[in-house]
Amino acid sequence: MTFSGAGVVITGGGGGIGAAFARRFAAEGARVVVADLNAGAAGEVAKEVGGTAFTGDVATEDGVTRLIESARETLGEIDVYCANAGIAPQGGEDTPEDVWARAWDVNVMAHVRAAKLLTPRWLERGNGRFVATVSAAGLLTILGSAPYAVSKHGALAFAEWLSATYRHRGLKVQAVCPQGVRTAMLEDTGPAGDLLMGASAIEPSAVADALFAAIDEDRFLVLPHPEVADYYAARATQPDRWLGGMNKLQRKIEQALGDPS
Ligand SMILES: NC(=O)c1ccc[n+]([C@@H]2O[C@H](COP(=O)([O-])OP(=O)(O)OC[C@H]3O[C@@H](n4cnc5c(N)ncnc54)[C@H](O)[C@@H]3O)[C@@H](O)[C@H]2O)c1
């Protein structure tokens, strides 16, 4: 698989995993549009990889439309679209409505809105690639953030649906599902995130390596932490045992950090 000259768009490309994707696609010869809410961060990464920065909010329909129109002007064809921007608000069922809505818009609807604009052209030419940065939380769950766990399940469901519906028409889809990755997002999860994911956290470049291995093998699921495959199987075959294990982890966090009740 060569990406020499390919047009690649990466949302949330100003930092963390998105920046690692930008570096890797550029190293493979792609022309990259680095899109981010943070203009300075997008500009820095774009400069580093010889790409083009785009500043905007992919949580809105208008923002996604502007990004795709602008990227088409810059790149001609968009060959690869990495729907990578994501947010992880902490909180449970009592998370405010607007925070739930924002998580849904950034983590799920941004993917749907981009696909709506990209698929007609991809199906016409019989070729396109949609890379969804999901999370192991989309296959399993995550303690401490109901909006993240729920919306990432939605993102995975949408990526599966795209692949199931359009694979025979040339649309390739990857769903990237890491556990902890050393980025600003992981830092923001505080001591609970550190307790849950700190020890096994990997560098963003390792996520890019896992993505490229999956692309080479034409594989949908990208698991930078291979042990997630076993947890996923356990969840499917022994759901009560798996939930019991997750609840044990919850109690461990409460003991370490203080009982929330
Ligand atoms: N860090 C982890 O442990 C981890 C694990 C699994 C999955 N992920 C997923 O990886 C993706 C990237 O996360 P990261 O860890 O690199 O986080 P990060 O916070 O380091 O980077 C995310 C980038 O996305 C940008 N962004 C956020 N909302 C945006 C919006 N509405 N429009 C445009 N840009 C926006 C931010 O400005 C930031 O530059 C997310 O989807 C996240 O859920 C992260």
Side-chain angles (χ1 to χ4, degrees):
M1 177 63 63
T2 171
F3 289 97
S4 180
V8 178
V9 176
I10 301 168
T11 72
I17 295 169
F21 285 179
R23 290 183 189 107
R24 182 61 187 264
F25 274 108
E28 301 282 335
R31 296 168 302 128
V32 179
V33 169
V34 180
D36 207 288
L37 266 181
N38 181 329
E44 267 177 40
V45 175
K47 192 172 165 201
E48 181 193 333
V49 305
T52 306
F54 175 91
T55 309
D57 183 355
V58 296
T60 66
E61 189 170 14
D62 180 57
V64 176
T65 304
R66 283 199 312 110
L67 166 60
I68 289 177
E69 280 173 359
S70 158
R72 281 187 171 137
E73 271 171 32
T74 306
L75 301 170
E77 294 283 358
I78 297 172
D79 300 295
V80 181
Y81 189 92
C82 298
N84 168 79
I87 53 169
Q90 296 297 296
E93 70 289 350
D94 55 348
T95 299
E97 286 283 335
D98 60 328
V99 179
W100 272 102
R102 179 85 185 157
W104 193 252
D105 274 333
V106 182
N107 293 349
V108 185
M109 291 311 293
H111 300 203
V112 176
R113 289 166 180 150
K116 179 175 146 188
L117 298 173
L118 293 162
T119 45
R121 179 74 190 119
W122 283 347
L123 297 179
E124 192 180 275
R125 66 181 191 147
N127 186 19
R129 183 180 301 277
F130 191 87
V131 176
T133 305
V134 184
S135 167
L139 295 165
L140 306 165
T141 189
I142 187 150
L143 299 169
S145 178
Y148 192 75
V150 173
S151 60
K152 289 295 184 177
H153 273 259
L156 182 73
F158 183 65
E160 285 172 344
W161 184 90
L162 271 183
S163 186
T165 305
Y166 296 125
R167 188 178 162 85
H168 67 298
R169 297 177 63 185
L171 176 50
K172 299 167 201 78
V173 183
Q174 264 78 41
V176 184
C177 298
Q179 288 190 300
V181 184
R182 287 192 198 95
T183 69
M185 179 180 281
L186 185 61
E187 274 172 34
D188 288 346
T189 60
D194 196 41
L195 199 73
L196 277 174
M197 295 174 284
S200 63
I202 58 175
E203 293 300 324
S205 60
V207 182
D209 290 344
L211 170 63
F212 273 74
I215 289 173
D216 275 347
E217 293 164 21
D218 196 19
R219 183 157 40 76
F220 171 77
L221 216 47
V222 183
L223 299 180
H225 298 78
E227 61 273 27
V228 168
D230 297 330
Y231 307 152
Y232 190 40
R235 174 180 178 270
T237 53
Q238 298 176 291
D240 292 300
R241 185 152 184 247
W242 174 77
L243 278 172
M246 290 306 298
N247 185 244
K248 200 169 159 187
L249 261 181
Q250 171 69 24
R251 280 176 282 151
K252 196 169 144 189
I253 293 171
E254 288 175 15
Q255 272 161 16
L257 305 177
D259 190 335
S261 61

